[in-house]
Amino acid sequence: MVVVGQPNASVMTPFASDSALVDYLKDLSDRERKRAEEERERRRQDCTSPSDSVAVLSGRLTDAETGEPLIGGNVFLPAVERGAATDINGDYSIIGIPAGVYDVHYSYAGYEPQTLSKVELCNRHPSPVDVALVSGGVGEVVVAYERPFGVTGQSITNNQVDGVDEGGIVKLMGDHLVILRRGRLFTVDIGGGVLVSVDAADLSPPGLDPQAAWYDELLIVGRTAIVIGYSYARFGTEVILFDVGVDGHLTYRSTYHLRSNDYYSWQGYAGRVVEGRLVFYTPLVLGRRTLTHQNEKVEDQLPALRLWSGDADGAFVPVASATDVFRPARDLIGIDLALHTITSCAVSDGALDCQATVAIGPRSREFYVSRSAVYAWGSGRYSRRGRGRPVLYRLPLDGSPPSAVGVTGSPINPFSFHEASDALLVAVSEWPETRWTWNSERPAQKLSLLRIPHSAFGDGSDEAPPSWYRTLPAPAAINVNRFVGDHLLYGSSYASDYRLLGVRWDDPSTVSTLPMGHTVERVEQMGESAVVVGENGSDLHFTPVRLGGRLRSERSHRLRGMAQSESRSHGFFYRPTGDEHGMLGLPVRHWGAHREWLNEGSASVVYLQNEGLDLRRLGTLDADSEPVDDACIASCVDWYGNARPLFLGDRVFALMGYEIVEGRIETGQIREVERTSFAPAHVQTTR
């Protein structure tokens, strides 16, 4: 394990026993209940003022069992015929209500409706009215959770950290590509200059209903292909293992079910392989029912793993006990909490041997995986009201106890983190709640560079002092950032501000500002330099940026009438061939098509040659325009994309939907030499 710095000798405290954990949660719940009662009494007294003639009703709608937000739920006041729908956080707000006492109806498809009677509303000391609904069946829940729009295991996609392989949709195992697509696993032989579809397998074994399951990420350990997904029917993470033979044939081995809430993020991936071990992050929300129900066993609320056995679930086996749950030495809010869980598994003979480390903290999260630790930034919506400060947890991958430090604000996305030899660097916005899942698309403001020495992580009682935050000049709407080399680069994908800003993280006294002539939609490393991708009107631009004491942009390359086809980091890939020389690839589409990759094949993958930071177009490899009826049975929306540029030695490929296309560079242009379809109902190879 790589050691990047020694944390403080003080670490977070584990619970001594099941009863200690129960007592802690009960105390939090009791204190929160008392605070809520005092708040209601203040509101009753204040609402007698005649000046409080107009009120606001706001709060959050959640699942009573899991604490997960209910998106698109209905809130209605019959007396004034006013209502609202909940947003992606489950939050709602109805403004301009005459002050008074109301009955409020709450409903959500698949859940038992609930009515709160005699809710007193006025505009002084407005408190959130949070409601938890009880599920009335699984079927409708699926709709509610639909998402919005040569070397074994060698990484062939864009990873944030060297030596930390991220989950993805395509991996290399020996002479075979292993591909995850729409509920199935495929293998394609690329050895010996050939391109041949070999095998396909459904991910769900017989007896396990794949409906309401989303199979998102593929990883490789040895000769084992590992798929990580989430089931909304079984409310847990699923881990499926296949053996991949030297001939490319797939053999199903096992399916595991980890008790958890959804891990999905619009920007990041949950799974990693670090030094041959499977490592993945999952949250387990401590909802109101967990905090107050007295008849449930503690082990039923903690992370546990079970093996699918034929037509019945096996028994859950705990991967963490109460003594594996650590708490920071600070007050936490008695609601809106989660168990942030890092599960590390040895993979052998188609089986998992797992252990988990758990930190209790605010439920909203963003996380980052380095070669030595997982960092989880926990915050909650109550931070916006001054109740509870965010906490940054450090969970070492070697199994040693976690540590924590108090922080302010929140990171924009997983690319806001960088682990240096002596400190953790985080690009922090002023927003007090992390923007996990789709919220990372939301713009941030007032960016700061936070530098936390590794020695500062302790029992969680300390706060990062203001002197550790260096305020940076920023666009009005920041939503793209990335550490490249020794620089933090950031900008906005909004058309109002065509600038890239950058600062050396080891000397943040000077900030460089570069006019881009286009938006900043993507920042990627390109050898020792960077490349910025963005739009201006209907054109797509690639601008090389030379790193140094001050940033310097080079001539931009423009693709007319084109736009990115995918926004995830894995859509881009760069192959260096020398100093300031190499080739990059990116899925693109015709400008104006809206997220066509969610349900359709990508239009093409474009390739550019980098010659001394002068970019030149080599051409595109294009997908077959014929639609494919794949009889999809699960994961029928491509949340993680469906296209990738692939560079394997001197060979150049494009994965597009159900096709692998190989190209060859001749006289400065790329041309197609072979393609194969691995679609379940349409398997053929053409030259």
Side-chain angles (χ1 to χ4, degrees):
M1 191 64 61
V2 177
V3 177
V4 297
Q6 295 299 323
N8 193 318
S10 175
V11 293
M12 294 201 307
T13 303
F15 291 95
S17 62
D18 287 358
S19 60
L21 176 57
V22 170
D23 291 344
Y24 177 80
L25 295 178
K26 186 176 183 300
D27 178 65
L28 285 180
S29 182
D30 290 343
R31 283 194 288 144
E32 180 59 31
R33 187 180 301 109
K34 180 179 179 181
R35 187 214 59 80
E37 291 173 353
E38 293 173 348
E39 181 68 21
R40 283 194 294 270
E41 178 60 29
R42 282 197 300 271
R43 292 183 64 208
R44 280 193 292 269
Q45 295 175 4
D46 289 338
C47 280
T48 59
S49 170
S51 64
D52 293 311
S53 58
V54 179
V56 174
L57 174 65
S58 63
R60 174 175 286 183
L61 192 63
T62 59
D63 182 301
E65 175 74 21
T66 68
E68 286 288 295
L70 299 180
I71 305 166
N74 295 311
V75 183
F76 186 65
L77 286 77
V80 291
E81 296 187 347
R82 297 285 302 279
T86 56
D87 63 15
I88 57 178
N89 296 312
D91 291 337
Y92 69 90
S93 180
I94 306 174
I95 63 175
I97 306 168
V101 179
Y102 296 93
D103 292 344
V104 186
H105 295 327
Y106 296 85
S107 62
Y108 191 74
Y111 285 71
E112 297 292 336
Q114 186 178 148
T115 298
L116 294 186
S117 300
K118 298 182 179 180
V119 177
E120 232 172 339
L121 299 177
C122 68
N123 69 359
R124 193 180 300 180
H125 298 297
S127 291
V129 180
D130 298 335
V131 173
L133 298 183
V134 176
S135 174
V138 171
E140 292 292 333
V141 178
V142 178
V143 177
Y145 276 95
E146 279 192 347
R147 293 175 177 154
F149 19 67
V151 178
T152 299
Q154 176 181 334
S155 177
I156 55 173
T157 49
N158 190 10
N159 292 325
Q160 185 178 2
V161 177
D162 288 340
V164 179
D165 193 29
E166 300 174 7
I169 64 171
V170 58
K171 297 293 178 181
L172 178 66
M173 181 182 287
D175 291 333
H176 295 87
L177 293 176
V178 185
I179 304 161
L180 172 65
R181 179 133 169 82
R182 295 164 68 89
R184 294 183 176 97
L185 208 57
F186 303 88
T187 54
V188 175
D189 188 353
I190 60 171
V194 303
L195 195 59
V196 178
S197 177
V198 177
D199 203 2
D202 293 347
L203 290 174
S204 291
L208 186 61
D209 185 357
Q211 294 299 316
W214 295 94
Y215 301 113
D216 297 321
E217 304 181 26
L218 168 68
L219 287 155
I220 299 293
V221 174
R223 300 292 317 179
T224 302
I226 305 166
V227 176
I228 300 176
Y230 190 83
S231 170
Y232 290 107
R234 290 170 284 279
F235 292 103
T237 299
E238 289 189 0
V239 184
I240 305 104
L241 280 66
F242 280 82
D243 287 340
V244 184
V246 293
D247 58 358
H249 282 88
L250 297 164
T251 303
Y252 169 77
R253 293 300 300 269
S254 55
T255 297
Y256 289 85
H257 178 201
L258 178 71
R259 184 188 293 141
S260 77
N261 296 113
D262 192 9
Y263 58 82
Y264 177 79
S265 170
W266 186 249
Q267 292 272 346
Y269 299 81
R272 305 288 192 275
V273 170
V274 185
E275 296 188 356
R277 290 185 67 88
L278 172 66
V279 176
F280 56 98
Y281 165 85
T282 54
L284 190 56
V285 173
L286 292 173
R288 291 177 181 271
R289 182 168 177 265
T290 303
L291 290 172
T292 58
H293 203 291
Q294 300 299 309
N295 298 322
E296 295 198 8
K297 298 179 181 178
V298 172
E299 57 264 30
D300 293 337
Q301 307 302 320
L302 297 177
L305 200 67
R306 64 181 173 188
L307 178 66
W308 173 260
S309 52
D311 59 356
D313 290 332
F316 271 117
V317 176
V319 291
S321 64
T323 57
D324 298 309
V325 179
F326 293 78
R327 62 182 178 90
R330 61 174 52 230
D331 283 338
L332 296 174
I333 301 300
I335 54 177
D336 221 31
L337 293 179
L339 300 177
H340 299 284
T341 306
I342 304 303
T343 305
S344 176
C345 305
V347 183
S348 178
D349 296 327
L352 297 179
D353 181 10
C354 301
Q355 294 179 323
T357 303
V358 185
I360 187 171
R363 58 167 294 178
S364 183
R365 81 278 180 182
E366 192 62 80
F367 73 99
Y368 161 74
V369 183
S370 73
R371 295 181 66 186
S372 63
V374 177
Y375 295 89
W377 188 295
S379 62
R381 70 190 183 102
Y382 293 94
S383 300
R384 287 183 253 174
R385 305 185 181 107
R387 294 175 52 214
R389 298 284 294 276
V391 183
L392 177 58
Y393 301 92
R394 184 181 189 273
L395 296 95
L397 294 179
D398 62 5
S400 56
S403 50
V405 64
V407 286
T408 300
S410 67
I412 296 174
N413 54 37
F415 303 108
S416 301
F417 296 85
H418 174 70
E419 188 181 65
S421 60
D422 61 342
L424 180 73
L425 287 304
V426 191
V428 180
S429 78
E430 66 172 349
W431 192 257
E433 183 178 2
T434 58
R435 275 91 54 80
W436 58 281
T437 188
W438 317 293
N439 286 343
S440 57
E441 297 289 291
R442 214 168 49 183
Q445 297 176 334
K446 295 185 179 179
L447 194 70
S448 295
L449 179 60
L450 170 61
R451 184 185 185 96
I452 305 176
H454 290 302
S455 59
F457 285 90
D459 62 5
S461 59
D462 293 337
E463 294 280 341
S467 60
W468 290 0
Y469 297 82
R470 176 64 69 103
T471 302
L472 302 175
I478 314 155
N479 65 337
V480 179
N481 64 173
R482 188 150 191 165
F483 286 89
V484 179
D486 53 7
H487 281 76
L488 167 65
L489 305 177
Y490 58 98
S492 172
S493 67
Y494 293 83
S496 60
D497 202 327
Y498 290 170
R499 291 183 297 161
L500 176 76
L501 295 93
V503 59
R504 288 182 62 100
W505 51 259
D506 58 351
D507 180 17
S509 58
T510 302
V511 177
S512 299
T513 302
L514 295 180
M516 283 285 101
H518 56 81
T519 60
V520 179
E521 293 184 354
R522 176 186 292 272
V523 177
E524 301 287 359
Q525 185 159 352
M526 189 172 66
E528 298 299 318
S529 303
V531 62
V532 180
V533 182
E535 293 183 12
N536 185 342
S538 61
D539 298 336
L540 186 65
H541 294 254
F542 296 76
T543 302
V545 175
R546 195 181 299 275
L547 306 179
R550 295 189 66 88
L551 304 181
R552 193 176 79 202
S553 61
E554 302 294 338
R555 183 174 63 89
S556 178
H557 182 85
R558 180 172 63 175
L559 298 181
R560 297 183 182 275
M562 303 298 290
Q564 289 194 90
S565 176
E566 297 185 15
S567 61
R568 285 189 174 272
S569 64
H570 285 193
F572 174 92
F573 200 60
Y574 179 75
R575 180 184 69 183
T577 56
D579 293 341
E580 296 189 350
H581 289 76
M583 183 191 305
L584 64 86
L586 181 70
V588 295
R589 55 175 169 79
H590 293 293
W591 187 86
H594 181 65
R595 299 191 188 276
E596 63 179 10
W597 48 267
L598 285 176
N599 297 288
E600 303 174 11
S602 182
S604 57
V605 175
V606 67
Y607 297 88
L608 302 180
Q609 186 74 41
N610 172 27
E611 297 177 352
L613 300 192
D614 181 24
L615 299 180
R616 181 175 58 83
R617 181 173 177 174
L618 296 171
T620 61
L621 295 177
D622 302 319
D624 189 343
S625 60
E626 290 294 322
V628 174
D629 181 7
D630 62 357
C632 182
I633 57 174
S635 306
C636 298
V637 178
D638 295 321
W639 305 116
Y640 286 81
N642 58 33
R644 297 289 185 269
L646 305 172
F647 301 108
L648 305 176
D650 293 330
R651 301 174 72 185
V652 180
F653 298 89
L655 164 65
M656 294 174 290
Y658 282 110
E659 292 182 295
I660 297 288
V661 181
E662 182 170 6
R664 182 176 299 152
I665 310 298
E666 295 179 348
T667 63
Q669 297 292 319
I670 190 168
R671 70 175 185 87
E672 179 184 325
V673 295
E674 188 173 1
R675 74 170 56 211
T676 186
S677 170
F678 54 89
H682 180 72
V683 179
Q684 65 176 8
T685 300
T686 60
R687 287 183 179 272

